């Protein structure tokens, strides 16, 4: 089946720094990638949707200047958390699909971000 | 708005026990319903789905029936195995957006 990887799996950074999370589709071309955030004991919340070569579409309440998303190729999307603060500590999950098939998303294993 | 309410865990069962994880939903339209499973260190994997009322999704011995009258999509398995230990997420898809439950952790002991 389709495989999506994320890197790193865990990252700790200091408050005020930026951190980049990569999401890769390993064996298919991902025309669309999704970024989710999950707080402890809460559900996954969609942050943004990115289509290859286009600007990401952010969900209401998500700061686009803080969470920079780049989907420059059909196999890679990146999420950069800029000027991170402790409240940005969370579990970030990406998923990927092709041809806008939102019902057939393949999920990465997630990245645990801790901001100290 | 659209949402999913899922049975809280954690759930611990002995091998070969019967499993039920409850899931109910709220949706304004006609969503598709899903169960995803996440094994330790891995991404969410689609377990089963149902796209319309009365549909039954099934896979690997797991089943769930789309009940519109009770807005439910409960996950069941007749005899769980240790290898079923994972976190299970109920989700609905409306338009192009997923809404997930909070996940239920299942541990099966030998």
């Amino acid at each position: 089946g389709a495989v999506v990887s994320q890197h790193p799996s865990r990252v700790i950074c200091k408050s005020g720094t930026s951190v980049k999370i990569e999401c890769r589709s390993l064996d298919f071309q991902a025309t669309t990638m999704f970024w989710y955030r999950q707080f402890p004991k809460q559900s996954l919340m969609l942050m943004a949707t990115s289509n290859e070569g286009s600007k990401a579409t952010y969900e209401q309440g998500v700061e686009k200047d803080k969470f920079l998303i780049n989907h420059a190729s059909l196999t890679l999307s990146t999420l950069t958390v800029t000027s991170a603060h402790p409240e940005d500590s969370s579990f970030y999950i990406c998923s990927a699909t092709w041809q806008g098939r939102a019902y057939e998303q393949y999920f990465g294993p997630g990245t645990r971000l801790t901001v100290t | 708005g659209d949402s999913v309410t899922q049975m809280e865990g954690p759930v611990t069962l002995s091998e070969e026990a019967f499993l039920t994880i409850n899931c109910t939903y709220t949706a304004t339209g006609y969503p598709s319903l899903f169960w995803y499973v996440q094994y330790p260190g891995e991404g969410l994997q689609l377990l089963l789905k149902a796209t319309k009322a009365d549909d039954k999704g099934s896979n690997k011995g797991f089943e769930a029936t789309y009940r519109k009258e009770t807005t439910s999509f409960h996950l069941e398995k007749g005899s769980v195995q240790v290898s079923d230990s994972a976190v299970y997420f109920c989700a609905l898809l409306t338009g192009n957006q997923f809404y997930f439950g909070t996940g239920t952790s299942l541990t099966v002991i030998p």
Side-chain angles (χ1 to χ4, degrees), chain B residues 59-101:
Chain B
N59 185 26
K60 300 181 181 180
F62 291 90
E63 291 183 341
T65 301
Y66 190 143
R67 301 283 189 202
K68 189 174 177 213
E69 63 275 14
T70 54
T71 61
S72 65
F73 193 55
H74 304 321
L75 181 68
E76 296 182 336
K77 186 174 185 181
S79 176
V80 293
Q81 305 300 313
V82 172
S83 57
D84 294 326
S85 298
V87 180
Y88 294 82
F89 291 88
C90 184
L92 70 84
L93 179 68
T94 178
N96 277 333
Q97 182 155 351
F98 269 105
Y99 296 87
F100 287 89

Side-chain angles (χ1 to χ4, degrees), chain A residues 79-92:
Chain A
L79 167 67
T80 301
V81 183
T82 62
S83 187
H85 290 266
E87 57 266 30
D88 298 325
S89 298
S90 189
F91 196 55
Y92 293 87

Side-chain angles (χ1 to χ4, degrees), chain A residues 6 34-38 44 91-95 107-108 110, chain B residues 44:
Chain A
Q6 279 185 246
F34 304 85
W35 285 95
Y36 295 84
R37 183 175 181 177
Q38 184 181 24
L44 283 72
F91 196 55
Y92 293 87
I93 300 171
C94 73
S95 69
F107 288 82
Chain B
L44 276 72

Side-chain angles (χ1 to χ4, degrees), chain B:
Chain B
D2 297 348
S3 65
V4 173
T5 301
Q6 190 175 337
M7 178 175 127
E8 285 191 26
V11 174
T12 302
L13 294 174
S14 297
E15 204 164 23
E16 299 183 1
F18 185 86
L19 168 71
T20 299
I21 301 178
N22 290 337
C23 172
T24 57
Y25 68 90
T26 301
T28 52
Y30 300 94
S32 296
L33 300 175
F34 301 76
W35 277 100
Y36 281 86
V37 58
Q38 184 176 32
Y39 299 102
E42 299 182 17
L44 276 72
Q45 300 173 24
L46 178 63
L47 180 59
L48 54 84
K49 67 180 181 184
T51 58
K52 62 183 188 297
D54 300 326
D55 268 2
K56 177 186 284 188
S58 61
N59 185 26
K60 300 181 181 180
F62 291 90
E63 291 183 341
T65 301
Y66 190 143
R67 301 283 189 202
K68 189 174 177 213
E69 63 275 14
T70 54
T71 61
S72 65
F73 193 55
H74 304 321
L75 181 68
E76 296 182 336
K77 186 174 185 181
S79 176
V80 293
Q81 305 300 313
V82 172
S83 57
D84 294 326
S85 298
V87 180
Y88 294 82
F89 291 88
C90 184
L92 70 84
L93 179 68
T94 178
N96 277 333
Q97 182 155 351
F98 269 105
Y99 296 87
F100 287 89
T102 54
T104 301
S105 175
L106 169 67
T107 300
V108 180
I109 54 178

